[in-house]
Amino acid sequence: MQLSYTLSNLTPGGDDGWGLFYEARRRKAAGEAILELTIGEHDIPTHETILNAMHRAALAGHTGYAAVPGVEALRQKVARRLEERTGVATGPENVVITPGGQAGLFAAHKAVLDAGDVGLYLDPFYATYPGTLRGSGAEARAIACHPEHGFQPQAADIRAAAQGAKSLLINTPNNPTGVVYTRETLEAVAQVCRDEDIWLISDEVYDTQIWEGEHISPRTLPGMAERTLVIGSMSKSHAMTGSRVGWIVGPEEVISHLINLATHTTYGVPGYIQDAALFALNEGPWLEDEVGAPFRRRRDMAERLIAQQNVVSLVPSGGAMYLMLDMRATGLSGQDFAQQLLDAHGIAVMPGESFGRAAAGHVRVAMTLEDTAFEEALSKLLSFAETLA
Ligand code: PMP
């Protein structure tokens, strides 16, 4: 008996770059004091007002099958939210609710790629991207973004890789770099998509976490609403990672096919979870500001600390819960630096190499420890780098 090629090749290759993360988790479980700055999970739980709304909805009986496209009131709310934030006319018919952003990413690629097609993504990348593209049986083709360009993608590089491609996946604010794409970058990306007739899949799950600059959705650019699928999620904005609720926003025709896909895959998202998401969105900005505030604060803290030395430099970034640090002056790879830091100080960060080739010589720091521990961990990281340089 043989498994499908698509499934058994979802993540080919040996070490997926997450070995160090697993090692840190193992050592922590064995009782070692490890400070973890690894994954994108808040250090606070979902706000209790959201949990109360979830509880109320469940007790009120919203525990049966929910409408597959999503509860109408939530689809309307998401549509209004996007319209208010971007100015692009959006109705519930442009929205399908998904079990988190990840399921949205998978479905969006399934909507536009057939087996054998080419889907483009940018390196460095969020860990699941290549596997998500391959899930459609497509070839996942990486395009490197370079530290010399502050990891902003360059139109010429995308154009050079676009031959035969049907889709391009972008993510701003970016995981792993924290980079927020400029208007100039997004206009150039949009131009390539229009010229080469490519679908744009825009992962905007960090859109509420902007510390510098502004979040621009490429769906707002001329001629892009009809070729852009926006991926959104409650995970990062409202610390609801475990609730698994997100959405895809796009042209009505694509959304109608995605609803059909949902009927044949997820069969929707639990009603009480959707009611909780609706409650959270209806609360307005205070909840998402409260969730984002620690990252803004720690980012300021990090900027101050980094400015006091000259070995490690911060990639110019302005959003999300991550800092990408350039460690090349230590002479070590990101992997070796991260391993030595873990061994010497019990501090775990992610090697840049875990996110592709383009971030070699860097490490990603997730700002997901409370302030004092975060400051201590980062200070130790910086002094350790100085001893190596
Ligand atoms: N996109 C990016 C860039 C992410 O970092 C994540 C989660 N870490 C996701 C999508 C998926 O998030 P979720 O499925 O929880 O919405």
Side-chain angles (χ1 to χ4, degrees):
M1 296 283 273
Q2 239 184 343
L3 277 172
S4 75
Y5 177 85
T6 303
L7 189 61
S8 41
N9 287 276
L10 217 52
T11 50
D15 185 6
D16 59 3
W18 284 70
L20 191 126
F21 167 69
Y22 296 122
E23 181 186 333
R25 280 278 156 104
R26 254 195 325 274
R27 288 166 62 166
K28 201 170 171 178
E32 240 180 281
I34 304 284
L35 290 176
E36 257 198 60
L37 300 163
T38 48
I39 59 166
E41 178 97 57
H42 316 71
D43 51 316
I44 51 166
T46 307
H47 200 277
E48 67 171 337
T49 58
I50 303 177
L51 298 177
N52 285 334
M54 201 181 287
H55 190 221
R56 278 197 306 274
L59 287 178
H62 207 171
T63 52
Y65 290 124
V68 171
V71 169
E72 189 58 19
L74 181 58
R75 292 175 81 199
Q76 276 171 9
K77 179 65 196 174
V78 170
R80 229 175 13 257
R81 178 176 168 93
L82 256 79
E83 185 168 312
E84 280 164 9
R85 291 170 73 89
T86 65
V88 182
T90 310
E93 67 283 0
N94 299 114
V95 180
V96 59
I97 304 299
T98 59
Q102 181 57 46
L105 282 166
F106 189 89
H109 283 94
K110 195 78 190 155
V112 301
L113 294 174
D114 281 307
D117 284 343
V118 174
L120 304 173
Y121 66 105
L122 303 171
D123 173 355
F125 52 85
Y126 170 51
T128 66
Y129 278 6
T132 301
L133 270 70
R134 287 188 204 108
S136 304
E139 176 194 331
R141 188 180 288 167
I143 302 169
C145 300
H146 301 287
E148 311 81 271
H149 300 132
F151 290 108
Q152 298 268 341
Q154 304 295 298
D157 296 336
I158 300 174
R159 215 179 276 281
Q163 191 64 37
K166 279 184 74 184
S167 66
L168 168 65
L169 170 57
I170 67 169
N171 169 223
T172 178
N174 187 267
N175 179 9
T177 57
V179 168
V180 175
Y181 292 175
T182 62
R183 180 171 293 280
E184 194 187 9
T185 294
L186 288 166
E187 280 176 352
V189 167
Q191 185 68 49
V192 181
C193 290
R194 287 188 301 259
D195 292 350
E196 307 290 335
D197 201 21
I198 288 175
W199 289 98
L200 185 62
I201 299 177
S202 180
D203 180 342
E204 302 181 22
V205 303
Y206 293 101
D207 68 342
T208 60
Q209 297 180 353
I210 295 277
W211 324 128
E212 257 173 56
E214 56 172 335
H215 171 67
I216 300 165
S217 173
R219 184 165 173 265
T220 61
L221 302 177
M224 291 308 289
E226 60 262 37
R227 61 171 70 250
T228 304
L229 300 175
V230 173
I231 309 298
S233 172
M234 297 297 289
S235 286
K236 310 294 175 174
S237 59
H238 291 79
M240 290 180 73
T241 50
S243 290
R244 315 309 304 135
V245 57
W247 51 80
I248 307 172
V249 170
E252 184 175 357
E253 201 210 336
V254 185
I255 295 299
S256 70
H257 286 288
L258 284 168
I259 293 168
N260 195 21
L261 178 63
T263 301
H264 293 87
T265 52
T266 60
Y267 213 77
V269 175
Y272 53 92
I273 300 278
Q274 295 194 63
D275 288 351
L278 178 62
F279 167 87
L281 293 176
N282 278 337
E283 283 297 286
W286 77 268
L287 269 174
E288 51 205 68
D289 289 350
E290 198 168 302
V291 170
F295 303 127
R296 183 191 288 275
R297 211 168 50 230
R298 291 168 199 161
R299 189 171 183 282
D300 290 348
M301 204 183 266
E303 278 191 322
R304 269 196 311 279
L305 290 171
I306 292 165
Q308 289 164 15
Q309 51 79 63
N310 49 24
V311 175
V312 178
S313 55
L314 176 61
V315 167
S317 59
M321 45 176 87
Y322 313 102
L323 302 170
M324 187 62 98
L325 303 181
D326 186 344
M327 308 305 301
R328 288 175 293 179
T330 63
L332 295 183
S333 66
Q335 175 71 41
D336 288 344
F337 178 82
Q339 186 68 55
Q340 292 190 26
L341 181 69
L342 180 63
D343 292 339
H345 292 290
I347 296 168
V349 296
M350 290 300 296
E353 292 84 359
S354 305
F355 308 100
R357 294 189 185 147
H362 291 67
V363 296
R364 188 193 76 172
V365 171
M367 299 184 279
T368 49
L369 275 182
E370 62 77 24
D371 293 17
T372 317
F374 177 75
E375 187 165 21
E376 180 197 334
L378 191 64
S379 305
K380 280 190 182 156
L381 179 154
L382 295 171
S383 11
F384 185 58
E386 278 184 299
T387 64
L388 296 170

